[in-house]
Amino acid sequence: MRDELRRRPQYAAAARRLAANMLRDADEDAALGDMLRDAGRTVAALSAIYLDASGGLTLSRLKTFIAGFGLVSPGRARALLSLMLHLGYVRRHPGSRPARYGLTPQFLASYARHEASLLDAAAIVEPAVRRVQRGLAEPAVLRRLVVEQGDAFVAGSGQTRAFDGWYRIFMHRLAGIQVLHGLVAAADSFPPLGAIPFTSADMARRFQVSRVHVSRMIHDAAAGGFLVREAGGVRFTAAGREALDWLYASRLCIHLACAARTLQAHPEAGGQEAAALALSV
């Protein structure tokens, strides 16, 4: 499916739109931005709405589910749940034993906007995705889409192992994924070929981390062979472009496939157009 996607002339624009949309979402919604700052937080947000839609959110179920992603230690589940409580995204059901949690309207609204941004990027490749995007106002459509995505991410978790070094440098560090989105959005092609303007100070200021933190990230990426520093910027190596290509293509494939399955399950959202999502879904 990734190979087919890469042959689409719209692929590069969709990847860059995905990066730009994720940055915009974080800028416009501070709480959502906090949940998009590394792989663990992103997984926790998806897990929370997935579990709420498929049996209920508890600490035990959260630990089990995030373990399936292969990206986050189950031991981090309690801290991630505490973060969502702090942000007002979840609340405990009074008197529940063991503790059960529900999603707040704030979280549901934020996550629906986030899903709309993801689908907006995928729709550049296949416009039929707009039918799901418009259907997100219906809770059943949002729940079905999220459950499909959760299952798809878990099913494909083993594929990330080939990029463990990349994930350790960017995806697991605070604001690392946002730094990547910032570089992709600033580039004039995808995967980026030329030098990209960059300073650690600018990135640190934008994503509210220390300059030292960003400098270490870039240093480790250079040491890992993923990029090189140049005067006033950075340039991705062949290995870095391959990792970026794999990451963005994988994300777009998942959103296309899950949109197709959601359309098939919800004719009221435009199910007759599901066949138009023709990327071997």
Side-chain angles (χ1 to χ4, degrees):
M1 189 174 178
R2 281 191 293 267
D3 290 342
E4 170 64 21
L5 174 63
R6 292 185 184 104
R7 287 192 288 267
R8 296 290 185 99
Q10 307 93 341
Y11 167 54
R16 297 184 68 210
R17 176 73 66 85
L18 179 62
N21 284 358
M22 295 303 93
L23 293 171
R24 184 202 61 209
D25 282 357
D27 288 343
E28 294 181 353
D29 186 332
L32 179 62
D34 268 350
M35 296 305 300
L36 300 178
R37 285 167 69 77
D38 62 39
R41 295 182 186 211
T42 302
V43 164
L46 175 59
S47 299
I49 193 166
Y50 177 99
L51 294 172
D52 184 76
S54 60
L57 174 59
T58 67
L59 178 58
S60 175
R61 292 193 77 212
L62 182 60
K63 286 181 178 179
T64 300
F65 189 66
I66 66 174
F69 282 82
L71 296 175
V72 192
S73 166
R76 196 178 170 194
R78 188 180 298 275
L80 292 169
L81 184 58
S82 295
L83 174 63
M84 289 187 283
L85 283 164
H86 171 72
L87 293 173
Y89 273 3
V90 303
R91 57 190 172 206
R92 180 174 176 175
H93 293 307
S96 57
R97 291 289 188 276
R100 295 174 64 86
Y101 302 86
L103 307 182
T104 64
Q106 176 194 351
F107 182 33
L108 291 170
S110 290
Y111 210 81
R113 288 194 297 271
H114 175 56
E115 288 289 350
S117 294
L118 296 170
L119 294 176
D120 175 68
I124 291 178
V125 176
E126 179 44 70
V129 171
R130 298 283 182 205
R131 301 299 296 265
V132 183
Q133 186 182 15
R134 291 192 291 269
L136 289 174
E138 293 295 329
V141 174
L142 176 61
R143 286 195 299 269
R144 180 59 182 247
L145 178 64
V146 170
V147 168
E148 293 288 356
Q149 288 173 354
D151 288 342
F153 276 114
V154 170
S157 62
Q159 298 179 33
T160 66
R161 291 174 190 145
F163 298 94
D164 278 349
W166 172 268
Y167 269 73
R168 283 194 298 270
I169 292 168
F170 288 111
M171 311 300 286
H172 294 310
R173 294 188 182 181
L174 190 65
I177 191 169
Q178 293 173 312
V179 168
L180 282 181
H181 288 326
L183 292 172
V184 169
D188 57 8
S189 62
F190 185 88
L193 285 171
I196 304 171
F198 169 89
T199 69
S200 294
D202 288 343
M203 283 288 185
R205 186 163 43 250
R206 177 167 191 184
F207 300 125
Q208 300 179 355
V209 292
S210 73
R211 186 168 59 182
V212 171
H213 178 74
V214 176
S215 294
R216 286 175 178 164
M217 192 184 306
I218 298 302
H219 174 273
D220 290 348
F226 295 116
L227 56 77
V228 293
R229 294 295 302 264
E230 298 186 351
V234 298
R235 182 189 301 270
F236 284 101
T237 64
R241 291 194 298 274
E242 179 187 8
L244 274 175
D245 193 19
W246 182 89
L247 176 66
Y248 281 82
S250 296
R251 289 293 302 272
L252 288 168
C253 283
I254 283 177
H255 298 310
L256 286 162
C258 293
R261 293 172 188 146
T262 301
L263 282 173
Q264 290 165 353
H266 287 278
E268 72 277 10
Q272 292 181 352
E273 291 192 41
L277 302 182
L279 289 174
S280 304
V281 299

